[in-house]
């Protein structure tokens, strides 16, 4: 590996997605491409933040004339996400090369926790554009209904195959549970299909073990290694 490329790009547009999630659209460097599910490292273009690189997943399509990210802010961390959430159109950030192992290998079951939906958003949007979203099922876990990122769009794309789980709230139309062995055994009839997992590290590790126990083929379980 030679020196990593750096691209200074301007923020074009911001949209509020949920109470603590924003969608950012940045300029797209010439010749910059990615596969839905992939990510890059982003640095805030200010001297005091130059040594901080945080990974973020692209949530737009590769064909889009801009790069899009959907980012949850963690104000209590006083870190990069809080700074990002304070940016205004016209501000710049530094992007790096593309990386990431989450890639679509055909219809399967998507298990997401919180901001872990972001690589799947890109995948679902691409599938939707190509009329190929059918056959995929989503189980998306959040604390409350207000935390669900792109709630309506996921329903528009997946219909009844979009399942929402609330860990803190018990509401009509939602599962109130954890995505664990009992839940998966109850919900999934075929453990030989692809599984896609993204969420907090502990959730990913636990679900990996659980799926192996339930007979999933480790080769067909896709997650960020």
């Amino acid at each position: 590996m030679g020196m990593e490329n750096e691209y200074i790009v301007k923020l074009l547009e911001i949209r509020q997605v949920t109470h603590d999630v924003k969608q950012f659209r940045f300029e797209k460097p010439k010749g910059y491409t990615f596969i839905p599910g992939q990510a890059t490292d982003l640095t805030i273009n200010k001297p005091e933040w130059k040594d901080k690189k945080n990974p973020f997943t692209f949530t737009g399509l590769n064909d889009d004339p801009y790069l899009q990210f959907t980012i949850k802010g963690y104000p209590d961390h006083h870190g990069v996400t809080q700074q990002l959430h304070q940016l205004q159109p016209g501000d710049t950030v530094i992007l790096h090369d593309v990386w990431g192992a989450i890639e679509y290998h055909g219809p399967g079951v998507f298990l997401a926790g919180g901001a872990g939906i972001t690589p799947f958003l890109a995948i679902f949007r691409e599938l939707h554009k190509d009329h190929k979203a059918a056959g995929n099922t989503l189980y998306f876990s959040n604390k409350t209904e207000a935390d669900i990122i792109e709630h309506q769009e996921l329903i528009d794309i997946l219909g009844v195959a979009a399942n929402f789980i609330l860990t803190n709230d018990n509401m009509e139309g939602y599962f109130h549970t954890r995505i664990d062995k009992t839940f998966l055994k109850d919900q999934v009839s075929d453990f030989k299909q692809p599984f896609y997992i993204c969420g907090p590290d502990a959730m990913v590790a636990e679900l990996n073990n659980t799926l192996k126990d339930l007979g999933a083929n480790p080769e067909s379980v896709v997650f960020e290694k």
Side-chain angles (χ1 to χ4, degrees):
M1 290 286 287
M3 277 293 290
E4 217 203 354
N5 293 308
E6 291 195 343
Y7 308 88
I8 296 179
V9 296
K10 191 183 289 177
L11 177 56
L12 304 171
E13 191 185 303
I14 305 165
R15 175 169 77 85
Q16 194 79 34
V17 179
T18 69
H19 62 101
D20 62 354
V21 174
K22 288 181 178 182
Q23 173 188 287
F24 297 85
R25 288 184 176 179
F26 291 98
E27 292 172 324
K28 184 176 196 173
K30 202 169 160 46
Y32 194 91
T33 62
F34 64 91
I35 296 165
Q38 288 190 309
T40 186
D41 291 309
L42 189 150
T43 304
I44 287 165
N45 194 18
K46 292 181 182 162
E48 66 274 27
W49 292 92
K50 279 285 168 70
D51 56 346
K52 294 255 193 297
K53 278 190 350 187
N54 280 39
F56 295 103
T57 310
F58 304 104
T59 52
L61 304 177
N62 187 46
D63 300 351
D64 291 338
Y66 48 79
L67 292 174
Q68 179 179 297
F69 301 90
T70 303
I71 298 172
K72 182 171 174 170
Y74 299 89
D76 51 336
H77 293 192
H78 303 294
V80 170
T81 62
Q82 187 198 19
Q83 286 295 309
L84 279 171
H85 272 236
Q86 290 166 4
L87 293 179
Q88 297 300 322
D91 290 341
T92 58
V93 300
I94 302 163
L95 299 182
H96 300 83
D97 293 326
V98 173
W99 57 270
I102 295 185
E103 203 182 311
Y104 185 66
H105 298 294
V109 176
F110 287 77
L111 306 173
I117 192 70
T118 53
F120 302 159
L121 272 181
I123 290 170
F124 293 147
R125 285 168 170 169
E126 178 94 346
L127 289 171
H128 186 58
K129 177 181 73 91
D130 299 337
H131 308 290
K132 290 184 178 158
N136 289 291
T137 306
L138 170 68
Y139 295 97
F140 184 15
S141 177
N142 285 279
K143 289 194 176 77
T144 70
E145 188 186 34
D147 295 314
I148 303 174
I149 295 170
E150 302 294 16
H151 191 175
Q152 188 55 50
E153 185 185 359
L154 289 166
I155 294 171
D156 294 344
I157 294 176
L158 295 167
V160 293
N163 301 278
F164 301 95
I165 294 135
L166 305 180
T167 50
N168 288 12
D169 286 353
N170 201 346
M171 289 174 70
E172 182 90 18
Y174 297 88
F175 289 103
H176 176 54
T177 179
R178 288 178 70 248
I179 301 181
D180 57 14
K181 195 173 195 169
T182 313
F183 180 79
L184 289 170
K185 249 165 98 165
D186 201 38
Q187 292 291 316
V188 179
S189 52
D190 170 20
F191 284 94
K192 292 295 175 226
Q193 64 187 317
F195 283 86
Y196 303 87
I197 315 173
C198 191
D201 291 345
M203 173 187 172
V204 174
E206 182 191 344
L207 287 175
N208 252 305
N209 291 329
T210 300
L211 287 170
K212 277 188 198 118
D213 291 348
L214 291 169
N217 173 0
E219 305 301 281
S220 59
V221 178
V222 178
F223 62 99
E224 203 59 73
K225 310 212 174 18

